[in-house]
């Protein structure tokens, strides 16, 4: 029997890929805790928790007619971001995959009539929501698998997609970590103001109301109140959570949805990303199980 041995809502904010001197300059003389938090997460979790595969819910990979899980034996090459080519350019990557897991997910989804497919096309693009985190957290030859965020999915769809993944993991001999790669509220400052809003201080979040909504959800996650985060999605949507918060909702679905009571712990502060909200919140598997 397989199991999910840990899970996290983790930011991939592009600033983490800036050279350290540029980060420190942008943040007024000290590094972003989004960076120092990832380094702590690597040391305290990734390097200590026994795991076979990492599954990334990639908020930058938008599909339309189904969710997709990568089924490649390996993905390798050079990556330049079409969104921010000056910041992320010719990044080398070499990620082992887990085709058995991907095919198990697709088979179960077909049986349950859920739109969730596996794909191993060698020309399938890769996105920095996967690669930024892999740069900090990846281990040699530990498989990293990406799952798309379907842009036509509802909250209920996201939870069901995550549930399928969790059930498929349970049917295999796997210890899996889940990473919901994405942010919280996600509205940017206008271009003319961006470069004056680079610092991580949450005073730069685009509105006080967005900051309040983010901080409320972080508090619920720290308290293990996944039910509150899920049931208040209609109230959160006006603040434009990244990818409609599908990355987190699929993670939640995989570990029990509203029945999950695993408390989160923070790795770093709540920080600004040119108007958008970001935090790293990690959930250990409770001794008695996720629910």
């Amino acid at each position: 029997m397989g199991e999910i041995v840990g899970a996290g809502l983790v930011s991939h904010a592009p600033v983490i890929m800036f050279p350290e001197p540029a980060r420190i300059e942008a943040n007024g003389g000290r590094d972003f805790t989004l960076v120092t938090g990832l380094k702590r997460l690597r040391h305290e979790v990734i390097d200590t928790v026994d795991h076979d595969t990492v599954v990334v819910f990639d908020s930058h990979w938008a599909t339309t007619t189904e969710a997709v899980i990568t089924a490649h034996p390996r993905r390798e090459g050079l990556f330049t971001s079409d969104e921010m080519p000056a910041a992320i350019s010719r990044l080398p990557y070499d990620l082992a995959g887990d085709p058995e897991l991907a095919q198990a997910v697709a088979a179960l989804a077909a049986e349950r009539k859920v739109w969730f497919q596996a794909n191993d096309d060698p020309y399938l693009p890769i996105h920095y929501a996967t690669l930024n985190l892999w740069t900090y957290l990846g281990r040699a030859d530990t498989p990293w698998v990406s799952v798309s965020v379907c842009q036509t999915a509802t909250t209920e769809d996201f939870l069901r997609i995550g549930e399928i993944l969790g059930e498929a993991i349970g049917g295999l001999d796997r210890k899996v970590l889940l990473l919901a790669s994405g942010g919280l509220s996600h509205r940017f400052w206008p271009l003319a103001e961006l470069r004056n809003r680079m610092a991580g201080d949450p005073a730069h979040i685009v509105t006080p109301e967005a900051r309040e909504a983010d901080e409320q959800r972080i508090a619920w996650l720290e308290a293990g109140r996944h039910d509150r985060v899920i049931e208040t999605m209609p109230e959160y949507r006006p603040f434009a959570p990244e990818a409609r918060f599908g990355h987190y909702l699929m993670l939640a679905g995989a570990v029990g949805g509203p029945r999950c009571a695993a408390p989160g712990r923070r790795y770093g502060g709540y920080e600004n990303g040119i108007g958008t909200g970001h935090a790293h919140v990690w959930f250990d598997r409770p001794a008695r199980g996720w629910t």
Side-chain angles (χ1 to χ4, degrees), residues 205-272:
I205 300 296
V206 73
T207 66
E209 293 80 11
R211 175 178 180 175
E212 182 181 2
D214 287 347
E215 291 180 329
Q216 176 65 83
R217 276 139 192 90
I218 291 169
W220 281 333
L221 292 174
E222 290 181 298
R225 293 303 307 271
H226 299 267
D227 57 335
R228 293 292 293 137
V229 177
I230 293 166
E231 69 189 22
T232 62
M233 279 305 301
E235 289 81 9
Y236 194 36
R237 285 192 199 102
F239 302 105
E242 185 165 18
R244 289 171 299 113
F245 225 29
H247 49 297
Y248 163 75
L249 292 168
M250 289 187 287
L251 179 151
V255 294
R259 297 179 297 115
C260 179
R265 67 176 184 274
R266 296 267 291 280
Y267 280 84
Y270 168 62
E271 290 191 320
N272 163 68

Side-chain angles (χ1 to χ4, degrees), residues 161-178:
I161 289 163
E163 182 182 347
I164 291 291
L165 175 70
E167 188 172 341
I169 290 169
L172 298 174
D173 182 18
R174 290 289 189 288
K175 294 179 179 178
V176 176
L177 295 180
L178 304 180

Side-chain angles (χ1 to χ4, degrees), residues 67-205:
V68 178
I69 183 170
T70 55
H72 310 77
R74 191 164 220 98
R75 293 180 286 170
E76 56 186 317
L78 295 174
F79 174 80
T80 294
S81 167
D82 59 345
E83 179 188 350
M84 300 185 70
I88 308 173
S89 176
R90 299 182 65 81
L91 175 69
Y93 65 91
D94 184 0
L95 285 69
D98 193 337
E100 184 183 12
L101 172 59
Q103 295 301 336
V105 166
L108 183 61
E111 178 185 324
R112 301 290 170 79
K113 295 182 169 46
V114 174
W115 299 108
F116 194 3
Q117 298 184 358
N119 193 298
D120 64 356
D121 189 314
Y123 298 102
L124 189 69
I126 195 167
H127 301 270
Y128 73 66
T130 292
L131 291 180
N132 289 7
L133 294 186
W134 173 80
T135 300
Y136 279 86
L137 306 178
R139 304 190 310 186
D141 293 321
T142 296
W144 274 54
V145 173
S146 300
V147 173
S148 73
V149 176
C150 181
Q151 63 182 346
T152 56
T154 64
T155 292
E156 292 72 24
D157 291 326
F158 287 132
L159 293 170
R160 184 67 172 136
I161 289 163
E163 182 182 347
I164 291 291
L165 175 70
E167 188 172 341
I169 290 169
L172 298 174
D173 182 18
R174 290 289 189 288
K175 294 179 179 178
V176 176
L177 295 180
L178 304 180
L179 302 179
S181 177
L184 296 153
S185 63
H186 212 69
R187 286 203 173 98
F188 299 99
W189 289 101
L191 179 60
E193 299 184 50
L194 286 183
R195 284 160 181 80
N196 296 321
R197 302 286 188 171
M198 294 291 292
D201 189 332
H204 294 293
I205 300 296

